[in-house]
Amino acid sequence: MSTINQATREIQAKIVYYGPGLSGKTTTLKSIHDAVRPETRGQLVSLATEGDRTLFFDFLPLTVEQVNGLTLRLQLYTVPGQIFYEATRQLVLNGADGVVFVADSQAAATDANQESLASLERNLQAMGHDPATFPCAFQWNKRDLPGAEPVASLRATLNPRGRPEFPSVASRGEGVMEPLKEVTRQVLAALSARTAPPPRRGTSPGVTPNPLHAEPPPGSTSPGSTPPAPPAPRPPGPTGPAAAPTLAGKQAFTLSAPLSSGPAPEPPAPLRIAPPPARGTLSFTRLFTTGSGQLADVEQAIRDGRPTTAVRAAAQGVADVLGGLEVLERSDAARAALLGIDGREYLKLLRLSRLPEGLATEADALFALHVLVGARLRAESV
Ligand SMILES: Nc1nc2c(ncn2[C@@H]2O[C@H](COP(=O)(O)OP(=O)(O)OP(=O)(O)O)[C@@H](O)[C@H]2O)c(=O)[nH]1
Ligand SMILES: [Mg+2]
């Protein structure tokens, strides 16, 4: 589930590319990888067989430029399309915030498209989601092939609900960014709705504003305007002027759509960063009576399989502990030494917190949690 992490000022979201075998999911991820600026992307990891069929999944981490002062970290996954990998598809889909359904436009693929869509809907339902409202965009791929079905018939068979849909030629990098941007917009809208403020009743002290409800930056759609209607399908093929994103230069991934569907709320809403651990769940937060939100955040990120986020949040937590010490020493390192944090552990934590997205492991995250808990305990004893 997408989360906002106040400590690291990050939103994390997982988007899964679903569709039948050979529809172009892996090609789409490769094209997105090639289209965005190198500094905004992590390594594209592909687990494929010799024939380039996806065996488990492909994974591409992306960092989207700042959204209302927050950094948006997207994790893009593809599922293996071949029929017999249903269990793997369920694993990959688990925890998704949005889906891009990549359909193969060829008439011969009609049955495979329908079967895959049915599998997606079944799996979403099993995970407690309503397929009719779950963030989703359709990508009609292989529009360049002579045997491509008209978009209208793809819509009739696969998209009777009229969800946003886009033509693409993934092998040429055309039309791959639009579905991603659209589903990201829907994911952010859903997150924004989840963290919407309760009816106005005065503020509680120390409350954190919900950054998703902040004033949109100048130039974006004004607050209070209705969300945009699903984009109309664009002309297919290489000559359709609007069919492809500008690939002349590497793209920054920016979202032009409004992030908040309602007026900016007043007063600021409390933002739940991470839910409190369920009863019976082991949690170090029970050691502390106050200020354990950050710790809960780290633990939640570990449970969610987001070690990089966990490490960075833990490092921020340790920095906050050090910053809160009432000593004359200015540097964090000197404060850490005064507090009795092991120097090697402190240095390792700093190193881990600078690892690029996707490189931290669960063990790293648990180590970072250990340093944070130690720092908190030591600070309490001062
Ligand atoms: N003509 C054409 N070929 C495409 C397009 N997109 C992908 N392909 C080709 O289709 C084949 C399958 O593409 P993949 O991206 O591997 O398909 P996939 O959906 O990941 O397949 P699985 O991993 O088996 O689920 C490759 O040979 C691609 O080059 C397209 O838009 N047009
Ligand atoms: Mg693949």
Side-chain angles (χ1 to χ4, degrees):
M1 182 190 271
S2 56
T3 51
I4 305 175
N5 184 318
Q6 192 69 30
T8 53
R9 309 286 300 157
E10 281 176 14
I11 303 173
Q12 287 263 5
K14 173 177 176 178
I15 292 172
V16 174
Y17 282 75
Y18 213 100
L22 299 180
S23 68
K25 302 175 293 296
T26 300
T27 309
T28 295
L29 237 61
K30 284 181 181 163
S31 296
I32 292 171
H33 177 269
D34 292 347
V36 299
R37 288 201 206 125
E39 64 271 22
T40 64
R41 69 186 189 214
Q43 204 185 345
L44 173 64
V45 178
S46 282
L47 298 173
T49 55
E50 258 180 38
D52 269 354
R53 305 299 301 269
T54 301
L55 191 59
F56 195 25
F57 60 79
D58 309 295
F59 171 68
L60 173 63
L62 283 186
T63 306
V64 181
E65 285 182 356
Q66 300 254 316
V67 174
N68 289 346
L70 292 165
T71 301
L72 174 58
R73 293 192 188 279
L74 293 178
Q75 299 181 324
L76 310 186
Y77 287 84
T78 70
V79 298
Q82 294 179 82
I83 299 264
F84 42 87
Y85 289 132
E86 183 69 359
T88 309
R89 277 190 289 278
Q90 290 167 356
L91 270 180
V92 176
L93 188 63
N94 197 19
D97 300 297
V99 173
V100 175
F101 186 87
V102 181
D104 185 333
S105 295
Q106 298 175 93
T110 306
D111 287 351
N113 284 330
Q114 283 179 315
E115 245 171 75
S116 179
L117 186 61
S119 139
L120 170 63
E121 300 208 343
R122 214 172 36 242
N123 289 330
L124 282 176
Q125 274 163 345
M127 288 165 196
H129 302 299
D130 177 0
T133 55
F134 191 74
C136 173
F138 284 84
Q139 183 178 323
W140 309 133
N141 195 35
K142 305 197 182 179
R143 297 307 304 161
D144 57 319
L145 293 180
E149 288 272 294
V151 163
S153 59
L154 289 169
R155 186 181 308 139
T157 29
L158 299 169
N159 188 20
R161 295 190 185 106
R163 305 297 300 268
E165 54 181 38
F166 305 84
S168 72
V169 184
S171 50
R172 291 204 293 247
E174 295 172 6
V176 295
M177 295 305 287
E178 287 85 348
L180 173 60
K181 289 183 183 183
E182 168 56 26
V183 81
T184 304
R185 188 194 66 74
Q186 292 178 39
V187 167
L188 290 175
L191 177 62
S192 178
R194 270 211 322 273
T195 56
R200 218 189 138 144
R201 261 213 230 133
T203 38
S204 35
V207 144
T208 316
N210 178 347
L212 277 180
H213 289 274
E215 284 286 341
S220 66
T221 309
S222 64
S225 63
T226 47
R234 293 176 182 159
T239 51
T246 316
L247 294 176
K250 301 286 181 187
Q251 300 188 11
F253 183 171
T254 50
L255 291 162
S256 51
L259 302 175
S260 174
S261 54
E266 208 189 332
L271 174 65
R272 174 160 287 298
I273 295 171
R279 273 191 175 279
T281 306
L282 179 68
S283 171
F284 287 108
T285 57
R286 307 225 163 89
L287 287 170
F288 308 101
T289 47
T290 58
S292 53
Q294 211 163 25
L295 201 49
D297 231 19
V298 175
E299 291 180 341
Q300 188 63 41
I302 295 173
R303 278 188 217 109
D304 291 349
R306 295 178 288 115
T308 307
T309 303
V311 165
R312 290 176 185 167
Q316 182 61 51
V318 170
D320 290 350
V321 169
L322 298 177
L325 292 179
E326 291 176 1
V327 289
L328 289 176
E329 296 297 338
R330 289 253 177 98
S331 81
D332 275 0
R335 286 168 172 242
L338 277 178
L339 197 56
I341 296 178
D342 183 277
R344 276 171 307 177
E345 291 190 350
Y346 181 65
L347 290 175
K348 182 174 172 185
L349 178 67
L350 291 187
R351 180 178 63 76
L352 292 177
S353 70
R354 292 187 202 113
L355 280 177
E357 185 66 37
L359 290 190
T361 63
E362 188 189 36
D364 294 335
L366 289 169
F367 169 82
L369 175 65
H370 145 80
V371 180
L372 174 58
V373 172
R376 288 290 311 266
L377 286 172
R378 287 187 172 87
E380 289 234 325
S381 68
V382 172

